[in-house]
């Protein structure tokens, strides 16, 4: 299996989630977005996200939805980039579109892996430190304000080949390391 064989759903079309989805999509990954705002989801699907900053300047359309019921098929990875306060409900709602052997990657500010694990199962969680900055200038327009890296790891177990595939995919945005 190659990293581009994986299917991704990004929860949250804010600065981190939106830029992650846009850069991955630009680099040929199968990525879709789920956000709460119906108008923003329609705008991203029809007109695309505008991205600028450290990741370059570009616009890209991404299939986007405001309800998990609109998503067709199962995803290998759900990149969870909502606010930490919305994490539990968003995870519960999106669990039904995760492949049986899929994982949630916790990209929230803070340490949310334990709470996420209590919702989806600890064995389905990949922790992620997001060490780069971004801001939403306004709906659909995002700026990567600083560069950095991702650090990925499973809670309580060593990295494996699958984690390396996820790391490779995220490395199209910034360098990603596993631990």
């Amino acid at each position: 299996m190659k990293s581009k064989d994986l299917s991704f759903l990004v929860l949250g079309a804010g600065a981190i989630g939106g830029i992650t989805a846009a850069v991955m999509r630009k680099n040929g990954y199968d990525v879709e977005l789920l956000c709460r705002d119906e108008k923003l989801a329609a705008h991203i699907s029809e007109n695309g996200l505008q991205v600028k900053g450290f990741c370059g300047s570009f616009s890209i359309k991404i299939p986007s939805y405001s309800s998990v019921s609109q998503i067709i098929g199962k995803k290998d990875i759900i990149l969870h980039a909502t606010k930490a306060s919305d994490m539990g409900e968003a995870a519960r709602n999106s669990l039904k579109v995760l492949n049986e052997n899929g994982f949630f990657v916790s990209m929230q500010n803070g340490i949310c892996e334990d709470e996420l694990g209590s919702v989806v199962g600890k064995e389905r969680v990949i922790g992620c430190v997001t060490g780069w900055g971004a801001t939403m200038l306004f709906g659909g327009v995002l700026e990567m304000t600083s560069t950095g890296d991702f650090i990925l790891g499973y809670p309580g177990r060593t990295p494996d080949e699958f984690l390396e595939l996820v790391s490779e995919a995220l490395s199209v945005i910034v360098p990603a390391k596993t631990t």
Side-chain angles (χ1 to χ4, degrees), residues 7-78:
S7 59
F8 293 85
L9 175 66
V10 178
L11 297 184
I16 297 295
I19 288 174
T20 296
V23 174
M24 289 180 73
R25 184 86 174 172
K26 180 182 171 198
N27 283 277
Y29 284 89
D30 176 8
V31 179
E32 296 179 350
L33 265 169
L34 180 63
C35 64
R36 291 186 296 202
D37 188 308
E38 189 175 332
K39 288 180 182 178
L40 180 59
H43 175 81
I44 295 168
S45 289
E46 295 167 16
N47 304 306
L49 282 173
Q50 290 182 314
V51 179
K52 62 183 182 175
F54 282 90
C55 57
S57 293
F58 63 96
S59 180
I60 191 160
K61 292 180 183 180
I62 303 169
S64 301
Y65 313 98
S66 59
S67 170
V68 73
S69 65
Q70 298 168 311
I71 297 169
I72 298 171
K74 302 274 187 170
K75 306 301 173 192
D76 298 308
I77 297 290
I78 295 179

Side-chain angles (χ1 to χ4, degrees), residues 76-78 98 101-104 123-124 126 154 157 162:
D76 298 308
I77 297 290
I78 295 179
L98 185 65
N101 297 319
F103 288 87
F104 278 83
E123 70 284 353
R124 300 185 90 178
I126 296 172
Y154 296 118
R157 65 182 226 235
F162 190 83

